[in-house]
Amino acid sequence: MDIIEQFKKQLEGAELNPETEEIGEVTEVKDGVVKLSGLKNVENFELIEFEEAGVLGLVLNLEEYEVGAVILGSDKKIKEGTIAKRTKKVFSLPVGEGLVGRVIDPLGNPIDGKGEIKATEYIPLERKGPSVIERKPVGAPIHTGIKMVDALIPIGRGQRELIIGDRGLGKTAVALDAIINQKNEKNRPYCVYVACGQKKSKIKRLISTLEKAGAMEYSTVVCAFPDDPASFLYLAPFAGVTVGEYFRDNKKDALVVFDDLTKQAWAWREISLVLRRPPGREAYPGDVFYLHSRLLERAAKLSDEKGGGSLTALPIIETQAGDISGYIPTNVISITDGQIFLNATMFKKGQKPAIDVGSSVSRVGSAAQLKAMKKVAGRLKLDLAQFQELERFSEFTEELDPQTKMILEKGKRIREILRQGDLAPYPFEKEAIVILAGTKGEIENIPLNKIKDFEQDLLQEIEMNHASILKEIRETEDMSDALQANVLEIVKEVKKKYGSEGN
């Protein structure tokens, strides 16, 4: 026994020996960032341990005589002279099926009170995105359940679609609808919601909404609260994309929502300024573009050789007074494959979701639509654009010819049909039927205030008496000419209910 005890003491001594393991000392600490001396061979993004304080640090700056690191936790117990030890480990996150249905912090610790998370493996938080050779073109859709998005600005599996707009216009609601709508989708993707700098009350409501909708069965929530250290807000989006990558690399589909990257940019600016990195435009460091590009480049549709999995990203950016020409908005617009722009003027007029079709775009386009949606939504964007131009022109004149009046009346009704409440996503087959009714159903004579009633009556009629139509669209993902004619006949019958009021 004496020999074993002696051997243990020798091992303990070896751990504290600077010759076998590097030890550094804190020279400066402020705002959750420390400067250290002595860690000569430490690597970038390596974890270091402050044993006395019981917290870890993450190395971000390698300078000639000192090292800069962010503290992953409270800095109250760290003072000048505090000892820091190398762990020789890159910062990694526990991932796997065990995270589904859980709420975690950016370090992978559970914060939902449901016990320990059993991880199947650990993935480094900082990884390169797949190369061009390892990817394949985006070809399958992620349906959001929002008629306007799925018809006009389709999102594909593996795409990066930015949601951008002022505060309080429903950006989170669009992303939340997309997550809830996956419940009944074929090949349902796993969803990750990253709350970066969102209020605790908002997160509680959001998690409660997901639970009520049954969406937490396939979702993970990553939280970094406003009162957390800046390092947590900086790392939260990387934690979210790492959780999603596990499913992508295991031949499955995943969807990640970053709400929002503006807060991450603020946190990175704060860390960089304390680390004495040179400030550039709007005081952001020069690598803030690289911060978001290396994050979003990890979203991809993998080639068949790599398993064919996908990771779709929905980053959210908050603008000030609708200014999309700001530094961070233009950065993220140039990285992503399109944007959904929410307009404050439209929101005030009661158009919800307040999506500005003119400023919104999907660079994947109809490649991310099923045949049924391509057929019914083909002319929709053109019709809406034509209507909006005429509507602006008609404000300056009262004399309009009958054809122009007809285009205006049809446009108003299409706009009304595309209006949709929060947290009320439509299944794909219902979206196709409603849009077909709007574009080819000749609904110009239905009073504008009755359009929503007409829409509900039409869906109710088809559900109750023609359920085979919904089944056929869902199974074939197509709408044949015969099926379209059948739906338009039903539209004609339902219209009779409103005919006397309309003529």
Side-chain angles (χ1 to χ4, degrees):
M1 281 294 292
D2 292 339
I3 296 171
I4 292 170
E5 287 294 324
Q6 197 175 346
F7 184 59
K8 277 185 179 178
K9 281 181 181 178
Q10 282 177 349
L11 277 178
E12 285 170 9
E15 279 179 20
L16 293 170
N17 188 344
E19 290 177 9
T20 56
E21 184 166 39
E22 285 192 61
I23 291 174
E25 188 179 311
V26 174
T27 57
E28 189 183 330
V29 55
K30 55 184 172 187
D31 294 330
V33 175
V34 292
K35 293 283 182 75
L36 303 132
S37 63
L39 297 171
K40 287 181 184 175
N41 298 319
V42 75
E43 295 178 5
N44 202 32
F45 227 69
E46 183 183 329
L47 286 173
I48 52 174
E49 187 179 4
F50 301 96
E51 278 191 340
E52 299 164 46
V55 293
L56 294 170
L58 182 66
V59 174
L60 292 176
N61 255 29
L62 300 177
E63 296 169 26
E64 193 173 356
Y65 298 111
E66 59 184 6
V67 168
V70 287
I71 301 161
L72 303 176
S74 172
D75 61 356
K76 286 179 182 175
K77 293 182 182 177
I78 297 175
K79 299 174 177 65
E80 283 185 32
T82 301
I83 299 298
K85 291 169 63 177
R86 279 188 73 188
T87 62
K88 298 184 181 175
K89 290 177 185 173
V90 172
F91 187 16
S92 301
L93 195 80
V95 293
E97 301 277 351
L99 268 76
V100 177
R102 302 301 299 272
V103 183
I104 61 170
D105 69 10
L107 308 184
N109 303 315
I111 53 174
D112 53 7
K114 294 181 182 176
E116 193 182 342
I117 293 171
K118 290 177 183 175
T120 50
E121 61 180 279
Y122 283 77
I123 295 180
L125 237 70
E126 285 275 14
R127 291 169 85 197
K128 277 187 179 179
S131 67
V132 175
I133 304 299
E134 294 169 334
R135 299 172 185 244
K136 68 185 277 191
V138 173
I142 278 219
H143 290 124
T144 62
I146 301 168
K147 290 171 282 186
M148 197 179 281
V149 173
D150 293 339
L152 301 169
I153 319 146
I155 300 169
R157 296 184 183 225
Q159 189 176 342
R160 300 154 302 174
E161 184 78 8
L162 172 63
I163 302 170
I164 186 167
D166 287 0
R167 188 172 184 166
L169 297 186
K171 300 186 295 297
T172 302
V174 170
L176 215 53
D177 275 347
I179 292 174
I180 291 168
N181 193 56
Q182 303 315 309
K183 187 171 173 63
N184 301 312
E185 283 283 292
K186 287 182 186 176
N187 306 320
R188 182 171 71 194
Y190 291 89
C191 299
V192 183
Y193 177 84
V194 179
C196 184
Q198 304 297 326
K199 291 178 186 173
K200 289 182 183 178
S201 57
K202 181 181 175 180
I203 304 304
K204 281 182 181 176
R205 283 199 307 273
L206 185 137
I207 293 167
S208 172
T209 302
L210 291 175
E211 283 172 344
K212 282 178 189 169
M216 279 305 283
E217 296 167 17
Y218 52 87
S219 301
T220 303
V221 179
V222 182
C223 294
F225 301 114
D227 56 350
D228 282 341
S231 56
F232 277 34
L233 273 74
Y234 156 62
L235 293 169
F238 288 105
V241 81
T242 304
V243 172
E245 274 184 323
Y246 168 81
F247 297 108
R248 183 200 71 191
D249 295 342
N250 283 280
K251 305 180 182 178
K252 296 171 185 172
D253 295 322
L255 169 69
V256 187
V257 175
F258 304 108
D259 191 6
D260 65 74
L261 293 188
T262 313
K263 308 278 194 316
Q264 189 200 23
W266 290 352
W268 184 236
R269 173 168 61 184
E270 183 183 325
I271 291 166
S272 299
L273 289 171
V274 177
L275 283 170
R276 307 286 295 165
R277 290 187 176 186
R281 182 174 160 191
E282 292 179 29
Y284 287 103
D287 67 341
V288 74
F289 178 89
Y290 180 54
L291 169 78
H292 288 147
S293 65
R294 73 177 188 264
L295 172 74
L296 294 168
E297 285 298 332
R298 290 160 73 173
K301 171 70 176 168
L302 294 184
S303 63
D304 295 335
E305 292 77 23
K306 284 282 178 181
S310 75
L311 178 61
T312 309
L314 296 180
I316 294 174
I317 289 287
E318 187 180 298
T319 55
Q320 307 292 325
D323 181 19
I324 57 171
S325 63
Y327 187 34
I328 301 301
T330 49
N331 273 355
V332 184
I333 285 169
S334 64
I335 296 164
T336 49
D337 310 308
Q339 69 272 353
I340 296 169
F341 178 56
L342 280 78
N343 187 310
T345 308
M346 294 173 78
F347 185 83
K348 285 168 190 168
K349 285 181 179 176
Q351 179 69 37
K352 293 179 186 179
I355 296 169
D356 186 334
V357 177
S359 301
S360 302
V361 66
S362 170
R363 295 190 184 104
V364 173
S366 61
Q369 283 179 323
L370 299 177
K371 282 183 181 176
M373 189 58 81
K374 280 184 196 175
K375 285 180 178 177
V376 299
R379 277 190 57 85
L380 186 60
K381 194 158 193 176
L382 189 65
D383 285 348
L384 271 176
Q386 190 181 21
F387 158 66
Q388 284 171 350
E389 281 298 313
L390 281 172
E391 190 180 38
R392 278 195 286 270
F393 171 73
S394 67
E395 288 173 5
F396 301 103
T397 180
E398 291 180 5
E399 292 178 18
L400 295 169
D401 62 275
Q403 191 180 356
T404 305
K405 277 183 183 174
M406 190 65 80
I407 292 169
L408 284 169
E409 291 304 316
K410 183 181 179 182
K412 284 174 185 174
R413 280 148 186 80
I414 288 175
R415 188 166 63 188
E416 190 66 26
I417 266 187
L418 292 174
R419 189 174 287 178
Q420 197 168 340
D422 288 349
L423 308 176
Y426 274 46
F428 160 72
E429 56 275 15
K430 288 187 179 179
E431 285 182 325
I433 285 168
V434 169
I435 290 164
L436 177 66
T439 52
K440 296 182 181 175
E442 297 177 355
I443 58 171
E444 295 86 356
N445 290 329
I446 300 174
L448 198 58
N449 63 345
K450 296 286 183 185
I451 287 290
K452 281 315 215 187
D453 296 337
F454 161 74
E455 183 184 333
Q456 294 308 317
D457 286 349
L458 174 63
L459 291 174
Q460 198 173 351
E461 171 67 23
I462 289 175
E463 272 183 284
M464 290 175 72
N465 302 321
H466 306 275
S468 60
I469 291 176
L470 292 171
K471 188 181 176 187
E472 187 179 334
I473 298 171
R474 189 163 51 244
E475 288 176 358
T476 64
E477 298 177 347
D478 198 357
M479 283 184 87
S480 63
D481 292 345
L483 186 67
Q484 286 189 47
N486 195 358
V487 171
L488 291 172
E489 279 299 315
I490 299 165
V491 169
K492 200 179 280 185
E493 285 301 310
V494 176
K495 272 199 312 184
K496 285 178 183 175
K497 194 174 171 183
Y498 302 91
S500 58
E501 296 174 52
N503 292 325

